[in-house]
Amino acid sequence: MWKHRIKQGGVTCWRCGEQLPADIPDSAWDLGHDDKDRSKYRGPEHSAGCNRSAAGKASALKRRGHLRPTPRHPGVLP
């Protein structure tokens, strides 16, 4: 479903809010999980810089005693 929607254009990365280009290669975006509940998907996100760095950033925040709330992508149902 997301692959088709991204190819149509206008889909944003749920993590950073920047638009995913309609011609983005499939390998450059991932379907992102919720940071607190890995059984939930939040929506598409950039592979590099957003999805694949999220765990490290969350771990660093947790070590420092800070936990950022997970933002919601407007197109994802609860």
Side-chain angles (χ1 to χ4, degrees):
M1 175 189 87
W2 282 110
K3 183 177 181 178
H4 177 70
R5 290 176 67 182
I6 291 169
K7 298 298 180 201
Q8 290 179 327
V11 174
T12 58
C13 171
W14 81 270
R15 198 173 291 277
C16 74
E18 292 184 22
Q19 188 166 337
L20 296 169
D23 62 350
I24 191 170
D26 293 342
S27 61
W29 68 274
D30 296 317
L31 185 55
H33 289 90
D34 183 275
D35 291 339
K36 296 176 185 164
D37 184 350
R38 303 276 305 154
S39 69
K40 296 179 183 175
Y41 291 105
R42 290 296 179 191
E45 59 187 9
H46 298 101
S47 294
C50 290
N51 184 7
R52 299 187 186 160
S53 65
K57 289 176 185 175
S59 177
L61 288 172
K62 190 174 180 181
R63 280 194 307 272
R64 289 186 232 131
H66 306 291
L67 203 53
R68 221 175 28 174
T70 303
R72 282 186 45 81
H73 186 280
V76 176
L77 299 174

Coordinates of all heavy atoms in Angstrom, one line a residue:
M1 N 0.8 -1.2 0.0 CA 0.0 0.0 0.0 C 0.9 1.3 0.0 O 0.6 2.2 -0.8 CB -0.9 0.0 1.2 CG -1.7 1.2 1.4 SD -2.6 1.4 2.9 CE -1.4 2.1 4.0
W2 N 1.8 1.3 0.9 CA 2.7 2.5 1.0 C 3.5 2.7 -0.3 O 3.7 3.9 -0.7 CB 3.6 2.5 2.2 CG 2.8 2.8 3.5 CD1 2.5 1.9 4.5 CD2 2.3 4.0 3.9 NE1 1.8 2.6 5.5 CE2 1.7 3.9 5.1 CE3 2.3 5.3 3.3 CZ2 1.1 4.9 5.8 CZ3 1.7 6.3 3.9 CH2 1.1 6.2 5.2
K3 N 4.0 1.7 -0.9 CA 4.8 1.8 -2.1 C 4.0 2.5 -3.2 O 4.5 3.5 -3.8 CB 5.2 0.4 -2.6 CG 6.1 0.4 -3.8 CD 6.6 -1.0 -4.1 CE 7.5 -1.0 -5.3 NZ 8.0 -2.4 -5.6
H4 N 2.8 2.1 -3.3 CA 1.9 2.8 -4.3 C 1.7 4.3 -4.0 O 1.7 5.1 -4.8 CB 0.6 2.0 -4.4 CG -0.4 2.6 -5.4 ND1 -0.2 2.6 -6.7 CD2 -1.5 3.3 -5.2 CE1 -1.2 3.2 -7.3 NE2 -2.0 3.7 -6.4
R5 N 1.4 4.5 -2.7 CA 1.1 5.9 -2.3 C 2.3 6.8 -2.4 O 2.2 8.0 -2.8 CB 0.6 5.9 -0.8 CG -0.8 5.3 -0.7 CD -1.3 5.3 0.7 NE -1.5 6.6 1.3 CZ -1.9 6.8 2.5 NH1 -2.1 5.8 3.3 NH2 -2.0 8.0 3.0
I6 N 3.5 6.3 -2.1 CA 4.7 7.1 -2.3 C 5.0 7.4 -3.7 O 5.3 8.5 -4.1 CB 5.9 6.3 -1.7 CG1 5.8 6.2 -0.2 CG2 7.2 7.0 -2.1 CD1 6.8 5.3 0.5
K7 N 4.7 6.4 -4.6 CA 4.9 6.7 -6.1 C 4.0 7.7 -6.6 O 4.3 8.4 -7.6 CB 4.8 5.4 -6.9 CG 5.8 4.3 -6.5 CD 7.2 4.7 -6.8 CE 8.2 3.6 -6.5 NZ 9.5 4.1 -6.2
Q8 N 2.8 7.9 -6.0 CA 1.9 8.9 -6.4 C 2.3 10.3 -5.9 O 1.9 11.3 -6.4 CB 0.5 8.6 -5.8 CG -0.2 7.5 -6.5 CD -1.5 7.2 -5.9 OE1 -1.8 7.4 -4.7 NE2 -2.4 6.7 -6.7
G9 N 3.2 10.4 -4.9 CA 3.7 11.6 -4.3 C 2.9 12.1 -3.2 O 1.8 11.7 -2.9
G10 N 3.5 13.1 -2.4 CA 2.8 13.7 -1.3 C 2.9 13.0 0.0 O 2.3 13.4 1.0
V11 N 3.7 11.9 0.1 CA 3.8 11.2 1.4 C 5.0 11.7 2.2 O 6.1 11.9 1.6 CB 4.0 9.7 1.2 CG1 4.3 8.9 2.4 CG2 2.8 9.1 0.5
T12 N 4.9 12.0 3.4 CA 6.0 12.5 4.3 C 6.5 11.4 5.2 O 5.8 10.5 5.6 CB 5.5 13.7 5.1 OG1 4.4 13.3 5.9 CG2 5.1 14.9 4.2
C13 N 7.8 11.6 5.5 CA 8.4 10.7 6.5 C 7.8 11.0 7.9 O 7.7 12.1 8.3 CB 9.9 11.0 6.5 SG 10.9 10.2 7.8
W14 N 7.3 9.9 8.5 CA 6.6 10.2 9.8 C 7.6 10.6 10.9 O 7.2 11.3 11.8 CB 5.9 8.9 10.3 CG 6.7 7.9 10.9 CD1 7.3 6.8 10.3 CD2 7.0 7.8 12.3 NE1 8.0 6.1 11.3 CE2 7.9 6.7 12.5 CE3 6.7 8.6 13.4 CZ2 8.4 6.3 13.7 CZ3 7.2 8.2 14.7 CH2 8.0 7.1 14.8
R15 N 8.8 10.3 10.7 CA 9.8 10.7 11.8 C 10.3 12.1 11.6 O 10.4 12.9 12.6 CB 11.0 9.7 11.8 CG 11.8 9.7 13.0 CD 12.8 8.6 13.1 NE 12.3 7.3 13.2 CZ 11.9 6.7 14.3 NH1 12.0 7.3 15.5 NH2 11.4 5.5 14.3
C16 N 10.6 12.6 10.4 CA 11.2 13.9 10.3 C 10.3 14.9 9.6 O 10.5 16.1 9.7 CB 12.5 13.9 9.5 SG 12.3 13.6 7.7
G17 N 9.2 14.4 9.0 CA 8.2 15.3 8.4 C 8.5 15.8 7.0 O 7.8 16.5 6.4
E18 N 9.7 15.4 6.5 CA 10.1 15.8 5.1 C 9.4 14.9 4.1 O 9.2 13.7 4.4 CB 11.6 15.7 4.9 CG 12.3 16.8 5.7 CD 13.8 16.8 5.4 OE1 14.2 16.3 4.3 OE2 14.5 17.3 6.3
Q19 N 9.1 15.4 2.9 CA 8.4 14.6 1.9 C 9.3 13.6 1.3 O 10.5 13.8 1.1 CB 7.9 15.5 0.8 CG 7.0 14.8 -0.2 CD 6.3 15.7 -1.1 OE1 6.1 16.9 -0.7 NE2 5.9 15.3 -2.3
L20 N 8.8 12.4 1.1 CA 9.5 11.3 0.4 C 9.3 11.6 -1.1 O 8.1 11.6 -1.6 CB 9.0 9.9 0.8 CG 9.2 9.5 2.2 CD1 8.4 8.3 2.5 CD2 10.6 9.3 2.5
P21 N 10.3 11.7 -1.9 CA 10.1 12.0 -3.4 C 9.4 10.8 -4.0 O 9.6 9.6 -3.7 CB 11.6 12.1 -3.9 CG 12.5 12.3 -2.7 CD 11.7 11.7 -1.5
A22 N 8.6 11.1 -5.0 CA 7.8 10.0 -5.7 C 8.7 9.1 -6.4 O 8.4 7.9 -6.6 CB 6.8 10.7 -6.7
D23 N 9.9 9.5 -6.8 CA 10.9 8.6 -7.5 C 11.9 8.0 -6.5 O 12.9 7.5 -7.0 CB 11.5 9.4 -8.6 CG 12.4 10.6 -8.1 OD1 12.3 10.9 -7.0 OD2 13.1 11.1 -9.0
I24 N 11.6 8.0 -5.2 CA 12.6 7.5 -4.3 C 12.7 6.0 -4.5 O 11.7 5.3 -4.7 CB 12.2 7.8 -2.8 CG1 13.3 7.5 -1.8 CG2 10.9 7.1 -2.5 CD1 13.0 8.0 -0.4
P25 N 13.9 5.4 -4.5 CA 14.1 4.0 -4.7 C 13.5 3.3 -3.5 O 13.6 3.8 -2.3 CB 15.6 3.8 -4.8 CG 16.2 5.1 -4.9 CD 15.2 6.1 -4.5
D26 N 13.0 2.1 -3.7 CA 12.5 1.3 -2.6 C 13.5 1.1 -1.4 O 13.1 1.0 -0.3 CB 12.0 -0.1 -3.1 CG 10.8 0.1 -4.0 OD1 10.1 1.1 -4.0 OD2 10.5 -0.9 -4.7
S27 N 14.7 1.0 -1.8 CA 15.8 0.8 -0.8 C 16.1 2.0 0.1 O 16.8 1.9 1.1 CB 17.1 0.3 -1.4 OG 17.6 1.3 -2.3
A28 N 15.5 3.2 -0.3 CA 15.8 4.4 0.5 C 14.7 4.8 1.5 O 14.8 5.8 2.1 CB 16.0 5.5 -0.5
W29 N 13.7 3.9 1.6 CA 12.7 4.2 2.7 C 12.3 2.9 3.3 O 12.4 1.8 2.7 CB 11.5 4.9 2.1 CG 10.6 4.1 1.1 CD1 10.8 4.0 -0.2 CD2 9.5 3.3 1.4 NE1 9.8 3.2 -0.8 CE2 9.0 2.8 0.2 CE3 8.8 3.0 2.6 CZ2 7.9 2.0 0.1 CZ3 7.7 2.2 2.5 CH2 7.2 1.7 1.3
D30 N 11.8 2.9 4.5 CA 11.4 1.8 5.3 C 10.0 2.1 5.9 O 9.7 3.2 6.1 CB 12.4 1.5 6.5 CG 13.8 1.1 6.0 OD1 13.9 0.3 5.0 OD2 14.7 1.6 6.6
L31 N 9.3 1.0 6.2 CA 8.1 1.2 7.0 C 8.5 1.2 8.5 O 8.9 0.2 9.0 CB 7.1 0.0 6.7 CG 5.7 0.2 7.3 CD1 5.1 1.5 6.9 CD2 4.9 -1.0 6.8
G32 N 8.4 2.3 9.1 CA 8.9 2.5 10.4 C 8.0 2.0 11.5 O 6.8 2.1 11.5
H33 N 8.6 1.4 12.5 CA 7.9 0.9 13.7 C 7.8 2.0 14.8 O 8.6 2.9 14.8 CB 8.7 -0.3 14.3 CG 8.6 -1.5 13.6 ND1 9.6 -1.8 12.6 CD2 7.8 -2.6 13.6 CE1 9.3 -3.0 12.1 NE2 8.2 -3.5 12.7
D34 N 6.8 1.8 15.6 CA 6.7 2.7 16.8 C 8.0 2.4 17.7 O 8.4 1.3 17.9 CB 5.5 2.3 17.6 CG 5.2 3.2 18.8 OD1 5.8 2.9 19.8 OD2 4.5 4.1 18.6
D35 N 8.5 3.5 18.3 CA 9.7 3.3 19.1 C 9.5 2.6 20.4 O 10.4 1.9 20.9 CB 10.3 4.7 19.4 CG 10.9 5.4 18.2 OD1 11.2 4.7 17.2 OD2 11.0 6.6 18.2
K36 N 8.3 2.6 20.9 CA 8.0 2.0 22.2 C 7.3 0.6 22.0 O 7.4 -0.2 22.9 CB 7.1 2.9 23.0 CG 7.8 4.2 23.4 CD 6.9 5.1 24.2 CE 7.7 6.4 24.4 NZ 6.8 7.4 24.8
D37 N 6.6 0.4 20.9 CA 5.8 -0.8 20.7 C 6.1 -1.3 19.3 O 5.5 -0.9 18.3 CB 4.3 -0.6 20.9 CG 3.5 -1.9 20.7 OD1 4.1 -2.9 20.3 OD2 2.3 -1.8 21.0
R38 N 7.1 -2.2 19.2 CA 7.6 -2.7 17.9 C 6.5 -3.5 17.1 O 6.7 -3.8 15.9 CB 8.8 -3.6 18.0 CG 10.0 -2.9 18.8 CD 10.8 -2.1 17.9 NE 11.4 -2.8 16.8 CZ 11.8 -2.2 15.7 NH1 11.7 -0.9 15.5 NH2 12.2 -2.9 14.7
S39 N 5.4 -3.8 17.7 CA 4.3 -4.5 17.0 C 3.5 -3.5 16.2 O 2.6 -3.9 15.4 CB 3.4 -5.2 17.9 OG 2.7 -4.3 18.7
K40 N 3.7 -2.2 16.3 CA 2.9 -1.2 15.6 C 3.8 -0.5 14.5 O 4.9 -0.2 14.8 CB 2.4 -0.1 16.6 CG 1.4 -0.6 17.6 CD 1.0 0.5 18.5 CE 0.0 0.0 19.6 NZ -0.3 1.0 20.5
Y41 N 3.2 -0.3 13.4 CA 3.9 0.5 12.3 C 3.4 1.9 12.4 O 2.2 2.2 12.6 CB 3.6 -0.1 11.0 CG 4.2 -1.4 10.7 CD1 3.4 -2.6 10.7 CD2 5.6 -1.5 10.5 CE1 4.0 -3.8 10.5 CE2 6.1 -2.8 10.2 CZ 5.4 -3.9 10.3 OH 6.0 -5.1 10.0
R42 N 4.3 2.9 12.1 CA 3.9 4.3 12.2 C 3.8 4.9 10.8 O 3.1 5.9 10.6 CB 4.9 5.1 13.0 CG 4.8 4.8 14.5 CD 3.4 5.2 15.0 NE 3.3 4.9 16.4 CZ 2.1 5.0 17.0 NH1 1.0 5.4 16.3 NH2 2.0 4.7 18.2
G43 N 4.5 4.3 9.8 CA 4.4 4.9 8.5 C 5.8 4.8 7.8 O 6.8 4.4 8.4
P44 N 5.8 5.3 6.6 CA 7.1 5.3 5.8 C 8.1 6.3 6.4 O 7.6 7.4 6.9 CB 6.7 5.6 4.4 CG 5.4 6.3 4.5 CD 4.8 5.8 5.7
E45 N 9.4 6.0 6.3 CA 10.4 7.0 6.8 C 11.7 6.7 6.0 O 11.8 5.7 5.4 CB 10.6 6.8 8.3 CG 11.1 5.4 8.7 CD 11.2 5.3 10.2 OE1 10.7 6.2 11.0 OE2 11.7 4.3 10.7
H46 N 12.5 7.7 5.9 CA 13.8 7.6 5.2 C 14.6 6.5 5.9 O 14.6 6.4 7.1 CB 14.6 8.9 5.3 CG 13.9 10.1 4.7 ND1 13.2 11.0 5.4 CD2 13.8 10.4 3.4 CE1 12.7 11.9 4.6 NE2 13.1 11.6 3.3
S47 N 15.3 5.7 5.1 CA 16.1 4.6 5.6 C 17.3 5.2 6.4 O 17.4 4.9 7.6 CB 16.6 3.7 4.5 OG 15.6 3.1 3.9
A48 N 18.1 6.0 5.8 CA 19.3 6.6 6.4 C 18.9 7.9 7.1 O 18.1 8.7 6.6 CB 20.3 6.8 5.3
G49 N 19.3 8.0 8.3 CA 19.1 9.3 9.0 C 17.8 9.3 9.8 O 17.7 10.1 10.7
C50 N 16.9 8.5 9.5 CA 15.6 8.5 10.2 C 15.4 7.1 10.9 O 15.6 7.0 12.1 CB 14.4 8.8 9.3 SG 14.4 10.6 8.8
N51 N 15.1 6.1 10.1 CA 14.8 4.8 10.6 C 16.0 4.1 11.2 O 16.0 3.7 12.4 CB 14.2 3.9 9.5 CG 13.8 2.5 10.0 OD1 13.8 2.3 11.2 ND2 13.4 1.6 9.1
R52 N 17.1 4.0 10.5 CA 18.2 3.2 10.9 C 19.1 3.9 12.0 O 19.9 3.2 12.6 CB 19.0 2.8 9.7 CG 18.1 1.9 8.8 CD 18.8 1.3 7.7 NE 17.8 0.7 6.9 CZ 17.9 0.4 5.6 NH1 19.1 0.6 5.0 NH2 17.0 -0.2 4.9
S53 N 18.8 5.1 12.3 CA 19.5 5.8 13.4 C 18.6 6.0 14.6 O 19.1 6.4 15.6 CB 20.0 7.2 12.9 OG 19.0 8.0 12.6
A54 N 17.3 5.7 14.5 CA 16.4 5.9 15.6 C 16.7 5.2 16.8 O 16.6 5.7 17.9 CB 15.0 5.6 15.1
A55 N 17.1 3.9 16.7 CA 17.3 3.1 17.9 C 18.5 3.6 18.7 O 18.5 3.7 19.9 CB 17.6 1.6 17.5
G56 N 19.6 4.0 18.0 CA 20.7 4.6 18.6 C 20.4 5.9 19.4 O 20.8 6.1 20.5
K57 N 19.6 6.7 18.7 CA 19.2 8.0 19.3 C 18.3 7.8 20.6 O 18.5 8.4 21.6 CB 18.5 8.9 18.3 CG 19.4 9.4 17.2 CD 18.5 10.2 16.2 CE 19.4 10.6 15.1 NZ 18.6 11.3 14.0
A58 N 17.4 6.8 20.4 CA 16.5 6.5 21.6 C 17.3 5.9 22.7 O 17.1 6.3 23.9 CB 15.4 5.6 21.1
S59 N 18.3 5.1 22.4 CA 19.1 4.5 23.5 C 19.9 5.6 24.2 O 20.0 5.5 25.4 CB 20.0 3.5 22.8 OG 20.9 2.9 23.8
A60 N 20.5 6.5 23.4 CA 21.2 7.6 24.1 C 20.3 8.5 24.9 O 20.7 8.8 26.1 CB 21.9 8.4 23.0
L61 N 19.1 8.8 24.5 CA 18.2 9.6 25.3 C 17.8 8.8 26.6 O 17.7 9.4 27.6 CB 17.0 9.9 24.5 CG 17.1 10.9 23.4 CD1 15.9 11.0 22.5 CD2 17.5 12.3 23.9
K62 N 17.6 7.5 26.4 CA 17.2 6.7 27.6 C 18.3 6.7 28.6 O 18.1 6.8 29.8 CB 16.8 5.3 27.2 CG 16.2 4.5 28.2 CD 15.8 3.1 27.7 CE 15.1 2.3 28.8 NZ 14.7 1.0 28.3
R63 N 19.6 6.5 28.2 CA 20.7 6.5 29.1 C 20.8 7.9 29.8 O 21.2 7.9 31.0 CB 22.0 6.3 28.3 CG 22.3 4.9 28.0 CD 23.7 4.6 27.5 NE 24.1 5.5 26.4 CZ 24.0 5.3 25.1 NH1 23.4 4.2 24.7 NH2 24.4 6.1 24.2
R64 N 20.4 8.9 29.2 CA 20.5 10.3 29.8 C 19.2 10.6 30.6 O 19.1 11.6 31.2 CB 20.7 11.3 28.8 CG 22.1 11.3 28.2 CD 22.3 12.5 27.2 NE 22.7 12.0 26.0 CZ 22.3 12.2 24.8 NH1 21.3 13.1 24.7 NH2 22.8 11.7 23.7
G65 N 18.3 9.7 30.6 CA 17.1 9.9 31.4 C 16.0 10.6 30.7 O 15.0 11.1 31.3
H66 N 16.1 10.8 29.4 CA 15.1 11.5 28.6 C 14.5 10.5 27.6 O 15.2 9.8 26.9 CB 15.7 12.7 27.8 CG 16.5 13.6 28.6 ND1 16.0 14.4 29.5 CD2 17.9 13.8 28.7 CE1 16.9 15.2 30.1 NE2 18.1 14.8 29.6
L67 N 13.2 10.6 27.5 CA 12.5 9.8 26.5 C 11.6 10.6 25.7 O 10.6 11.2 26.2 CB 11.8 8.6 27.1 CG 11.5 7.4 26.2 CD1 12.8 6.9 25.5 CD2 10.9 6.3 26.9
R68 N 11.8 10.8 24.4 CA 11.0 11.6 23.5 C 9.7 10.9 23.2 O 9.7 9.7 22.9 CB 11.8 11.8 22.2 CG 11.8 13.1 21.6 CD 12.7 13.2 20.4 NE 12.9 12.0 19.7 CZ 13.5 11.9 18.6 NH1 14.0 12.9 18.0 NH2 13.7 10.7 18.0
P69 N 8.6 11.6 23.2 CA 7.3 11.0 22.8 C 7.4 10.7 21.3 O 8.0 11.4 20.5 CB 6.3 12.1 23.1 CG 7.0 13.3 23.2 CD 8.4 13.0 23.6
T70 N 6.8 9.6 20.9 CA 6.8 9.2 19.5 C 5.7 10.0 18.7 O 4.6 10.0 19.1 CB 6.4 7.7 19.4 OG1 7.3 6.9 20.2 CG2 6.4 7.2 18.0
P71 N 6.2 10.7 17.7 CA 5.2 11.5 16.9 C 4.3 10.6 16.1 O 4.7 9.4 15.8 CB 6.1 12.3 16.0 CG 7.4 11.6 15.9 CD 7.5 10.8 17.2
R72 N 3.2 11.0 15.7 CA 2.2 10.2 14.9 C 2.2 10.8 13.5 O 2.1 11.9 13.2 CB 0.8 10.3 15.4 CG 0.6 9.5 16.6 CD -0.8 9.4 17.1 NE -1.8 9.3 16.0 CZ -2.1 8.1 15.5 NH1 -1.6 7.0 15.8 NH2 -3.1 8.1 14.5
H73 N 2.3 9.9 12.5 CA 2.1 10.2 11.1 C 0.6 10.4 10.9 O -0.2 9.6 11.3 CB 2.6 9.1 10.2 CG 2.7 9.4 8.8 ND1 1.5 9.4 8.0 CD2 3.6 9.9 8.0 CE1 1.8 9.7 6.8 NE2 3.1 10.1 6.7
P74 N 0.2 11.5 10.2 CA -1.2 11.7 10.1 C -2.0 10.7 9.3 O -3.2 10.6 9.4 CB -1.3 13.1 9.3 CG 0.1 13.2 8.7 CD 1.0 12.5 9.6
G75 N -1.3 9.9 8.5 CA -2.0 8.9 7.7 C -2.1 7.5 8.3 O -2.5 6.5 7.7
V76 N -1.6 7.4 9.6 CA -1.6 6.1 10.2 C -2.7 6.0 11.3 O -2.8 6.9 12.1 CB -0.2 5.8 10.9 CG1 -0.2 4.5 11.7 CG2 0.9 5.8 9.9
L77 N -3.5 4.9 11.2 CA -4.5 4.8 12.2 C -4.0 4.2 13.5 O -3.0 3.5 13.5 CB -5.6 3.8 11.6 CG -6.3 4.3 10.3 CD1 -7.2 3.2 9.8 CD2 -7.1 5.6 10.6
P78 N -4.7 4.4 14.6 CA -4.2 3.9 15.9 C -4.2 2.4 15.9 O -4.8 1.7 15.2 CB -5.1 4.5 16.9 CG -6.3 5.1 16.2 CD -5.9 5.2 14.7

